[in-house]
Amino acid sequence: MKIEVVHDDVEQCCNFAAGDWVKISGLQSEKGKHLNGKTGRVERLAKPSEDPRDSRYAVNIKGEGYEMTTSIARKNLEPADQPADAAPESSVPSHLPKKADSAGGAEGSTAGPQLSEQAQFEIAQYLMTDPVGKKFFGHLQAGNAGFTTIGDPGLRPALRRVVEGRFIEMHYGSQTQKQWEVALQVADHSKGENVRSLLISFKAGITGAEYLQAMKDKELVKQYDRLVEVGLATSRATLAKQFNV
C-alpha cells in the first residue's frame, strides 16, 4: 500500500537531490511526529519556492507492511547514510528519478518529452537560486509571460533552460512548450529584439503611419507572424483595423 501525506511543518535544512537519503526530525504535528527518526529517500522537489526555506521534498519511507511518500519541509530533513538493508545504489527503485549521466542525459531514459525528476529538480533549483532564474521565475509567478517579458535578452538564459529542458512542457503542457519554443527561436533571430520593441510600442501607443513603416521590414513581419501563429501576438489583420490602415 502506498499513501500520500502532506505535513505542515516548514522550512530549511540543505539542498537535496533525488535519490539522497535523509533522516526526518523535528516534526511537531500529531500526524507527522511519528515519523521523527525514520530514514527515507528523496524522490523529488515536491514544492519549489522562490525562498528555498519554503521548499518541500517528497520523501519515500518504507516500513514493515507499508510504504508512504510524504512531503516534508527542508528544516525537518538532515542527510543520512543509506540503510544497510536498502537496495544498493546501483539499483535505483523505479519510483525514483534517475541521476543524470556525464553526457547530460538520464540513465535508463527513453526517447520522448519525459523529463526526469532529477532534471526537474535542477531546473527548479536554478529558478530559485540563480539571479536570472529568480527574476524569470518572479515574472512567471506574476503572470508576466508574454513575449515582451520572456523575450527580454537579459532573461534569455532562463528561457533557454526551461524550454530546452522541457520544463515548461512538464508543468504547463505541450501547447505552452510549443509557444515558448517559437518564442526562443524568434528571440534568437537577428530581428527578435525588433519584434519585441514593436510589441512594446503597441502598448506605449504608436500611430498608423508608424505601424505601416514597421511592417515594411519583411523579415520582421515573418518573425512577428510566427508569434501570431502560436498565440503570442495579435494578428496583423486585427492590428490593421485598430490602426485604421
Side-chain angles (χ1 to χ4, degrees):
M1 176 178 66
K2 187 172 182 178
I3 55 177
E4 296 280 342
V5 184
V6 176
H7 297 300
D8 293 325
D9 308 82
V10 280
E11 279 194 12
Q12 154 163 7
C13 168
C14 50
N15 291 330
F16 293 116
D20 286 348
W21 289 96
V22 292
K23 184 177 181 180
I24 302 167
S25 64
L27 296 177
Q28 300 296 320
S29 69
E30 287 299 317
K31 290 183 178 180
K33 63 184 180 181
H34 73 283
L35 296 175
N36 289 330
K38 293 188 180 298
T39 299
R41 201 170 188 183
V42 174
E43 289 192 348
R44 65 186 183 278
L45 180 64
K47 186 179 180 182
S49 172
E50 188 172 5
D51 184 346
R53 294 173 300 177
D54 293 329
S55 297
R56 303 180 72 88
Y57 292 83
V59 179
N60 181 264
I61 306 162
K62 293 182 180 179
E64 261 188 59
Y66 76 90
E67 177 182 358
M68 66 188 300
T69 296
T70 178
S71 173
I72 301 178
R74 293 176 69 181
K75 76 168 185 179
N76 298 114
L77 298 171
E78 57 187 63
D81 293 329
Q82 178 178 331
D85 59 349
E89 289 275 348
S90 59
S91 177
V92 181
S94 60
H95 66 272
L96 291 176
K98 309 299 182 183
K99 298 273 188 174
D101 61 23
S102 59
E107 297 173 1
S109 63
T110 57
Q114 187 66 30
L115 182 65
S116 75
E117 290 177 350
Q118 175 66 21
Q120 291 185 61
F121 175 91
E122 291 172 354
I123 294 176
Q125 287 294 95
Y126 167 77
L127 294 174
M128 292 188 293
T129 60
D130 182 88
V132 174
K134 287 175 69 176
K135 185 176 181 181
F136 188 85
F137 184 52
H139 283 300
L140 293 188
Q141 288 184 309
N144 300 326
F147 183 75
T148 56
T149 298
I150 64 175
D152 185 334
L155 298 178
R156 192 87 46 82
L159 175 62
R160 189 179 312 282
R161 183 144 189 185
V162 298
V163 169
E164 294 181 350
R166 307 199 76 83
F167 187 80
I168 295 302
E169 182 167 13
M170 291 294 297
H171 294 274
Y172 295 91
S174 58
Q175 182 177 353
T176 303
Q177 172 72 25
K178 176 61 178 176
Q179 286 180 324
W180 285 28
E181 285 175 355
V182 172
L184 179 59
Q185 292 164 8
V186 172
D188 281 341
H189 193 274
S190 60
K191 292 292 183 179
E193 189 55 21
N194 298 84
V195 173
R196 180 171 171 270
S197 296
L198 179 63
L199 290 170
I200 292 173
S201 71
F202 289 164
K203 296 179 180 179
I206 62 172
T207 65
E210 290 171 327
Y211 167 73
L212 289 175
Q213 181 62 36
M215 291 297 103
K216 290 180 179 180
D217 187 330
K218 293 183 178 180
E219 191 55 44
L220 181 149
V221 170
K222 180 179 178 180
Q223 296 305 313
Y224 180 87
D225 284 347
R226 295 190 67 198
L227 295 181
V228 173
E229 288 173 3
V230 294
L232 288 176
T234 303
S235 71
R236 287 188 286 133
T238 299
L239 289 173
K241 291 179 181 179
Q242 291 178 354
F243 289 115
N244 197 26
V245 293

